[in-house]
Amino acid sequence: MTADVPGMSEGAKVSPFRDPKIRALFFQVLVIVTFLAFVYYIADNTITNLEKRGIASGFDFLSQNSGFDIGIVLLVDYNAQTSTHGDVLLIGIINTLAVSLSGIVLATIIGFVFGVLRLSNNWIVNRIAYVYIEVVRNIPLLVQLLFWYLAVLLELPKVRDSVKLGDSVAINNRGFYFPSIVPDSGFWLIPTAFVLGIIATVFVSKWAHKRQDETGQQFPVFTTGLALIIGLPVLAALVSGIPFALEYPSMGRFNIAGGWVIKPEFMALFLGLSIYTGGFIAEIVRSGINAVSHGQTEAANSLGIKPSVTMRLIIIPQALRVIIPPLTSQFLNLTKNSSLATAIGYSEIVAIFAGTSLNQTGQAIEIIALTMLFYLTISLIISVFMNWYNKRIALVER
Amino acid sequence: MKKASFMAIATAATMMVGTASAATLDDVKAKGFIQCGVTTGLAGFAAPNDKGVWEGFDVDFCRAMSAAIFGDPDKVKYTPTTAKERFTALQSGEIDVLARNTTWTLSRDVNLGFEFVGVNYYDGQGFMVKKSLGVSTAKELDGARVCLQSGTTTELNLADYFAAQGMKFDSVLFDTADEVREAYIKDTCDVYTTDQSGLYAQRSVIADPENHIVLPEVISKEPLGPLVRHGDNAWGDIARWTLNALVIAEELGVTTANAAEMKGSKNPEIQRLMGVSGDLGQQLGLDAAWAYNIVSMVGNYGEIFEKHLGQSTPLKISRGLNQLWSKGGILYAPPAR
């Protein structure tokens, strides 16, 4: 800006009312003060009303005995007689994360597959993908969850007429039952071998990259990695004399007992969320691929590169730059949508903590605040991770 | 929007928040109806009929209050609430009274800031199973999968009972009674547990009620009753005495059919209740004919019970504990004088 603009010249006397700096500062302060006053008013009003109605507040309830049973408990021990509302919160968090993370993985796979198929030149494949995408995107998620739960999973054979695959697997409308692994001494070798396999694969892939950069020779990283990750634990199991026993599911008085079980409540939520979100991700993937100039494909074709390789190494990496930001919001949606589980009996944080615990203790404000804090934290973590990934794959301009 | 008008609205909103908790009776009269919280649908207790009009045992309590206050039983708007939502709805002032088979417990009375106005149904938690399981007592339920509604005392009693019996169970929780019934019918659970009244109500709407039995064990005391917010005692009194008037009317033999005639009764107790003598209505801040209106427009306790839950209904619940104290039950109301 040049100095000869009237009224803006250096040293000219400006009334404080018209000084843009002072005005800006004034309004900033005004906004902050108003906002703080508003927050103070809300908080004060809440506290006063709570006191007036004699409603207890504080976080002491987290160490109180919960006294109710939870349908699905993963990783930790839970006992209605001794566990607390704090444990309920923890289980709610674990269950939410379990279904969200597995849902994100499956939704991404579904989304990428159908997004690519949607662009296929094969009319039938193209139409199948089109129908899938349009159907799942236009039906409310809650309806889809109820469909999976009531119309699909609960219509499976009843517990007494379970579908059995040999002794080991049983399927009925109370879950999918598998033999569980009961570790003996020396079991630690197997997970260790598994981790070693993953580490080795990472090294192999780095080495292969380097070698290809230097010599142009390719190395079958995928098959080698698969062999390492599966082969090493199997080898470890054989060498150490199979240090575990299998516990087979067997029919008890009412239910199948023993073994591992995936319950229909989890299954319905997992399938519903993945298939629903997968439809949206497919559209994002399609738009991402469409955003890559067709010249890239033509250039690859003219070099004689196979179409599958073109897609994997040329189109998708460029498309990812368009795909990642909206994909992040789909991951967030999926995580938040898991709270619909309360309709189909899956025990995630909203159902058991913001539901049952809230009802038993009546501490609505504290419990809702903690639940919101949890969702906020998860959303921010996913966001930060995806932004980091987005930066990493972004086009590096020279 | 201009800043000035925004401030005006904000100020008005502030004032409203400040006065919302004052006299509920005045608010109710000003808006012209009672906002009554009921269940999302439980046959016999509160459910919309085929014309979409709410009816049932709990609904009639709301109608009785409306008759007492407005002289018209239909000045009620119903808010269906789930077990989880009901308390927040009452605390926040969204509803004026909650008549929704809610168990009277100490912590709800004290910690949650409510006031139970009495018991309109003495109940206890039970179990329903399919006959085909061949179970005849709750003691045989070790290892069973149990379906229930979340946000109820049911969950606590269930865990207590199985722990006390040294038995294990596996539970699935749903938000509404309909969802629980659906899961139970589809056989993903062996057992449906809730208050016995609820079990009878649910069994009455299952396609094959004869294939399901309610086990004899009653594992808890569930005094169900209407409740209001703590702190507005005048409003609480109206609710409490509406309930009492229903019971007293049955004791005195006043029914919908003979209420008009009973106004001329020589019995001083009936005269007081019917508002012919004394000032009971005035003491409550209501019309002298408040109790007369309740009985003539809605009925007495016994009539309401028979109409919605009794032998002539699909529920076929016998009076049991809910019979008058003078006839072998424990239903007892303090004297209206």
Side-chain angles (χ1 to χ4, degrees):
Chain A
M1 179 115 357
T2 47
D4 58 4
V5 174
M8 290 292 283
S9 54
E10 289 287 319
K13 286 228 169 176
V14 181
S15 120
F17 276 113
R18 295 185 183 279
D19 188 327
K21 268 191 189 160
I22 293 181
R23 285 176 73 146
L25 197 68
F26 174 73
F27 281 109
Q28 292 287 336
V29 171
L30 188 72
V31 167
I32 291 173
V33 168
T34 318
F35 177 70
L36 288 181
F38 178 70
V39 170
Y40 172 78
Y41 168 73
I42 293 281
D44 185 59
N45 192 38
T46 308
I47 293 167
T48 316
N49 278 326
L50 285 179
E51 272 173 9
K52 204 156 66 185
R53 296 191 181 152
I55 300 169
S57 56
F59 288 92
D60 293 346
F61 72 94
L62 284 176
S63 54
Q64 277 169 21
N65 194 326
S66 58
F68 59 88
D69 182 66
I70 294 176
I72 297 177
V73 181
L74 307 169
L75 300 178
V76 290
D77 281 329
Y78 179 83
N79 179 322
Q81 307 307 316
T82 52
S83 297
T84 65
H85 288 293
D87 297 329
V88 175
L89 173 61
L90 178 68
I91 291 166
I93 289 174
I94 293 175
N95 286 353
T96 302
L97 290 180
V99 80
S100 304
L101 293 181
S102 48
I104 282 175
V105 171
L106 183 61
T108 311
I109 295 172
I110 293 176
F112 270 80
V113 168
F114 278 88
V116 172
L117 292 186
R118 178 77 181 80
L119 292 170
S120 163
N121 291 325
N122 182 321
W123 189 82
I124 293 177
V125 169
N126 186 319
R127 288 293 105 174
I128 289 175
Y130 173 76
V131 168
Y132 158 72
I133 290 170
E134 291 309 316
V135 167
V136 299
R137 285 190 339 140
N138 288 303
I139 296 174
L141 176 56
L142 184 60
V143 176
Q144 294 191 34
L145 291 180
L146 291 173
F147 166 78
W148 285 108
Y149 187 61
L150 295 175
V152 177
L153 294 168
L154 292 197
E155 292 297 342
L156 288 171
K158 304 192 167 164
V159 65
R160 264 150 242 283
D161 326 309
S162 303
V163 176
K164 291 202 171 161
L165 305 175
D167 267 349
S168 45
V169 180
I171 296 173
N172 59 47
N173 72 354
R174 297 182 185 185
F176 298 175
Y177 293 80
F178 305 97
S180 59
I181 293 170
V182 183
D184 285 343
S185 61
F187 182 73
W188 59 271
L189 253 168
I190 298 172
T192 315
F194 180 71
V195 173
L196 276 179
I198 292 176
I199 295 173
T201 309
V202 171
F203 274 104
V204 167
S205 116
K206 281 205 166 152
W207 169 80
H209 247 279
K210 209 171 148 204
R211 193 177 75 143
Q212 191 181 355
D213 285 349
E214 282 165 3
T215 66
Q217 285 173 307
Q218 292 190 346
F219 185 81
V221 176
F222 184 74
T223 37
T224 318
L226 215 59
L228 281 171
I229 292 172
I230 295 174
L232 278 181
V234 171
L235 201 68
L238 290 176
V239 166
S240 57
I242 313 191
F244 58 84
L246 289 179
E247 189 191 61
Y248 290 99
S250 62
M251 188 65 203
R253 171 110 167 75
F254 293 102
N255 295 317
I256 289 181
W260 277 326
V261 56
I262 300 177
K263 295 196 177 170
E265 291 80 32
F266 175 88
M267 254 338 233
L269 187 60
F270 169 63
L271 287 177
L273 283 176
S274 313
I275 290 172
Y276 176 78
T277 315
F280 287 87
I281 294 180
E283 280 297 86
I284 291 170
V285 169
R286 178 171 75 110
S287 68
I289 293 174
N290 277 339
V292 177
S293 156
H294 194 58
Q296 298 281 325
T297 317
E298 285 166 348
N301 285 349
S302 67
L303 287 174
I305 298 175
K306 278 196 293 186
S308 63
V309 178
T310 309
M311 189 54 103
R312 196 157 56 83
L313 294 181
I314 296 169
I315 308 296
I316 297 279
Q318 296 184 73
L320 272 184
R321 290 167 191 148
V322 178
I323 291 172
I324 295 297
L327 189 63
T328 309
S329 82
Q330 289 306 324
F331 288 175
L332 295 180
N333 279 346
L334 188 146
T335 309
K336 289 180 285 188
N337 284 339
S338 69
S339 60
L340 287 171
T342 166
I344 53 166
Y346 179 67
S347 343
E348 47 69 67
I349 185 165
V350 172
I352 58 173
F353 188 64
T356 310
S357 281
L358 193 162
N359 214 265
Q360 305 297 0
T361 63
Q363 312 275 22
I365 292 175
E366 294 83 355
I367 286 181
I368 297 298
L370 281 175
T371 309
M372 293 200 308
L373 184 70
F374 164 72
Y375 278 110
L376 184 67
T377 313
I378 291 303
S379 295
L380 289 179
I381 291 174
I382 293 178
S383 225
V384 164
F385 172 77
M386 293 300 281
N387 280 330
W388 165 81
Y389 184 65
N390 192 31
K391 273 218 182 88
R392 217 181 76 107
I393 61 159
L395 191 63
V396 183
E397 295 189 40
R398 287 173 229 269
Chain B
M1 194 190 288
K2 282 181 189 158
K3 271 199 185 110
S5 63
F6 173 76
M7 289 309 285
I9 290 170
T11 319
T14 312
M15 311 262 288
M16 273 157 58
V17 174
T19 55
S21 62
T24 312
L25 180 60
D26 294 342
D27 290 350
V28 165
K29 279 185 174 162
K31 64 185 175 188
F33 59 87
I34 302 173
Q35 195 75 45
C36 187
V38 291
T39 70
T40 49
L42 185 62
F45 286 86
N49 64 14
D50 47 14
K51 292 186 194 74
V53 180
W54 284 86
E55 58 180 29
F57 184 74
D58 285 329
V59 167
D60 270 358
F61 174 78
C62 303
R63 297 182 72 235
M65 278 192 81
S66 170
I69 294 169
F70 296 108
D72 176 352
D74 296 320
K75 299 215 161 174
V76 187
K77 287 199 177 163
Y78 298 96
T79 304
T81 57
T82 65
K84 270 158 62 175
E85 296 157 358
R86 57 185 164 176
F87 297 131
T88 322
L90 185 59
Q91 276 173 340
S92 65
E94 192 188 330
I95 55 177
D96 302 312
V97 56
L98 180 66
R100 191 202 172 283
N101 47 29
T102 299
T103 306
W104 187 351
T105 67
L106 186 143
S107 66
R108 287 172 178 178
D109 205 341
V110 177
N111 205 15
L112 300 190
F114 296 135
E115 197 163 313
F116 283 81
V117 300
V119 176
N120 70 344
Y121 191 98
Y122 290 94
D123 209 342
Q125 185 176 341
F127 302 101
M128 176 161 72
V129 295
K130 284 146 205 124
K131 274 192 182 151
S132 57
L133 277 180
V135 172
S136 59
T137 153
K139 300 205 165 58
E140 298 173 42
L141 291 179
D142 193 9
R145 194 159 133 111
V146 183
C147 277
L148 67 158
Q149 199 178 347
S150 65
T152 61
T153 46
T154 312
E155 293 180 88
L156 306 178
N157 298 331
L158 180 70
D160 283 357
Y161 180 76
F162 275 78
Q165 300 288 328
M167 302 193 299
K168 280 191 176 152
F169 71 107
D170 181 16
S171 67
V172 200
L173 272 74
F174 299 91
D175 241 8
T176 68
D178 289 347
E179 286 162 3
V180 182
R181 189 185 64 236
E182 198 61 28
Y184 168 76
I185 293 174
K186 297 221 169 173
D187 210 26
T188 189
C189 310
D190 303 300
V191 185
Y192 185 163
T193 184
T194 186
D195 295 345
Q196 288 213 316
S197 60
L199 293 179
Y200 286 115
Q202 293 292 19
R203 193 173 64 168
S204 74
V205 291
I206 293 180
D208 55 340
E210 65 284 358
N211 292 334
H212 302 265
I213 53 165
V214 175
L215 297 177
E217 279 82 359
V218 176
I219 65 167
S220 68
K221 288 188 293 184
E222 308 286 341
L224 310 180
L227 56 156
V228 295
R229 275 183 298 282
H230 190 81
D232 186 352
N233 296 351
W235 180 248
D237 287 340
I238 292 173
R240 177 173 303 109
W241 285 96
T242 298
L243 179 58
N244 287 339
L246 292 169
V247 176
I248 296 168
E250 190 185 2
E251 284 179 2
L252 297 175
V254 186
T255 64
T256 311
N258 70 9
E261 196 181 313
M262 282 289 195
K263 270 193 157 177
S265 165
K266 295 275 181 294
N267 184 338
E269 249 186 299
I270 297 179
Q271 285 183 2
R272 274 197 301 275
L273 187 71
M274 295 288 102
V276 179
S277 67
D279 61 348
L280 295 182
Q282 201 189 339
Q283 291 181 27
L284 285 169
L286 299 174
D287 194 72
W290 67 284
Y292 170 76
N293 289 340
I294 293 177
V295 183
S296 64
M297 293 168 178
V298 185
N300 67 32
Y301 183 93
E303 287 180 284
I304 295 173
F305 193 100
E306 285 310 320
K307 183 172 159 198
H308 298 296
L309 311 174
Q311 298 305 323
S312 61
T313 67
L315 274 75
K316 295 193 177 38
I317 300 180
S318 55
R319 285 289 287 269
L321 282 180
N322 294 297
Q323 184 57 271
L324 289 176
W325 61 283
S326 49
K327 294 184 185 166
I330 58 173
L331 205 64
Y332 188 99
R337 65 186 312 146

